[in-house]
Amino acid sequence: MVKSAPVPRGPRRSPEEIRRLMVNAALELLVAQGLGSGTERITLKGVFDYLQESQGIRLHYASVLGRIWVDQSEFQRDVAVAIASIDGSTAESEATVAGFLNILRKSDRTTLDGRWQTINRFCLYLGESNLNELVESPTWPLWVSIWAVSMSHPDETEPDLVRDALTKSYGSLTTNFEFAFDWAIAWLGFRVKAPLTTRQLSTAVSALAEGCALRDRLRSADIRDIKLPTGTKGRRESWTLFGIGLEALCRHFLEEIPSWEPGPIDF
């Protein structure tokens, strides 16, 4: 009788490598399948099977239980924390940033009207591009779902790791917006009106973007293709509700810096 050749064993992995493999695979599954009402649908066996099928990696319960997680629910909590930690501040594509800088390079900064017109162009452009990036993101719907589950089921008996991760993610997003706004408005000779702050502006903008993106996924007709006579000689242009709200926030938050003079643009 001929014995079959033994199945070669894969490389020995550290607990941290296995944790990373399992959590990343769980996120890939959730992107493909959706979150539903929580991470309960992601099971250890389901992730084992997915890793075997997609990457040829064989793991089993002995690989993780007692070494990394106490039980399946602890694994699911780690997956939820990973989703909550997704950094939305890196969502802007290179094309969006390039378009933003191109508007600034072409702007007329010699007059107050020209500078406000640049704000108008920013809002028209970013209202469309940022909304698209949120709506088309494969992970943002998961982040929103985890946010909703966390808010509806707060854990007050022990440290809430998911809520902490959400707070850090929000903080990163707000700081990113804050830096971008400070830089852009300074180049245009504006500042935030006291006692308001740039952080309050960035918080309002991110909240508006998220709300519009949620509505857009349900009924985009309420959010997009709003025709306004903002083009050259009153030409009608297509705006998003996010872009309109963004300009309204800028008009309320910003004021001219007295005696400001434009410097050279070196980017």
Side-chain angles (χ1 to χ4, degrees):
M1 180 177 179
V2 179
K3 294 183 178 180
S4 59
V7 177
R9 297 184 63 179
R12 185 172 181 83
R13 295 180 173 86
S14 69
E16 186 54 40
E17 288 175 312
I18 294 174
R19 177 194 294 273
R20 187 166 54 250
L21 273 172
M22 291 287 292
V23 171
N24 287 344
L27 293 180
E28 291 173 12
L29 275 172
L30 286 171
V31 167
Q33 300 174 1
L35 185 65
S37 59
T39 54
E40 290 82 1
R41 68 189 303 172
I42 289 295
T43 64
L44 290 169
K45 184 179 185 307
V47 176
F48 294 154
D49 292 344
Y50 176 77
L51 283 171
Q52 173 74 48
E53 294 168 6
S54 64
Q55 301 183 43
I57 295 174
R58 297 181 63 185
L59 295 174
H60 43 78
Y61 290 104
S63 305
V64 298
L65 293 181
R67 296 185 67 205
I68 303 172
W69 298 289
V70 173
D71 53 24
Q72 181 165 272
S73 64
E74 192 173 59
F75 164 65
Q76 292 167 339
R77 186 202 63 190
D78 268 11
V79 174
V81 170
I83 296 170
S85 301
I86 292 172
D87 187 355
S89 69
T90 60
E92 294 86 356
S93 68
E94 290 184 7
T96 294
V97 174
F100 180 87
L101 294 177
N102 191 47
I103 291 172
L104 190 54
R105 291 189 191 100
K106 293 180 178 179
S107 64
D108 173 15
R109 299 186 299 143
T110 61
T111 67
L112 182 59
D113 285 346
R115 283 141 55 195
W116 276 119
Q117 178 62 16
T118 302
I119 293 288
N120 174 272
R121 297 297 89 186
F122 278 157
C123 295
L124 173 63
Y125 174 72
L126 294 177
E128 181 82 22
S129 60
N130 281 23
L131 184 64
N132 286 342
E133 285 172 350
L134 275 182
V135 171
E136 295 168 6
S137 166
T139 56
W140 185 72
L142 297 179
W143 188 91
V144 172
S145 298
I146 285 294
W147 183 92
V149 170
S150 177
M151 296 304 106
S152 61
H153 297 92
D155 187 350
E156 299 177 354
T157 62
E158 60 182 51
D160 193 333
L161 299 179
V162 174
R163 200 179 185 104
D164 289 347
L166 286 168
T167 301
K168 290 177 182 177
S169 178
Y170 257 130
S172 179
L173 176 65
T174 304
T175 299
N176 178 271
F177 270 127
E178 189 176 6
F179 174 81
F181 286 139
D182 269 336
W183 180 83
I185 65 178
W187 272 100
L188 291 172
F190 292 111
R191 65 188 180 192
V192 173
K193 300 175 186 176
L196 298 171
T197 66
T198 311
R199 191 165 188 84
Q200 289 169 336
L201 173 59
S202 63
T203 299
V205 170
S206 60
L208 177 64
E210 290 160 2
C212 286
L214 285 172
R215 294 293 185 98
D216 184 76
R217 291 179 71 91
L218 289 176
R219 182 177 165 81
S220 62
D222 291 341
I223 302 297
R224 298 178 184 266
D225 201 28
I226 302 168
K227 302 296 185 182
L228 296 177
T230 52
T232 304
K233 296 182 179 180
R235 178 174 55 86
R236 292 167 68 81
E237 296 179 305
S238 181
W239 283 73
T240 65
L241 197 59
F242 172 46
I244 294 170
L246 179 57
E247 184 176 25
L249 284 170
C250 288
R251 289 281 182 176
H252 185 81
F253 271 82
L254 303 182
E255 66 181 2
E256 178 188 10
I257 298 174
S259 304
W260 179 85
E261 294 292 337
I265 292 180
D266 54 2
F267 51 84

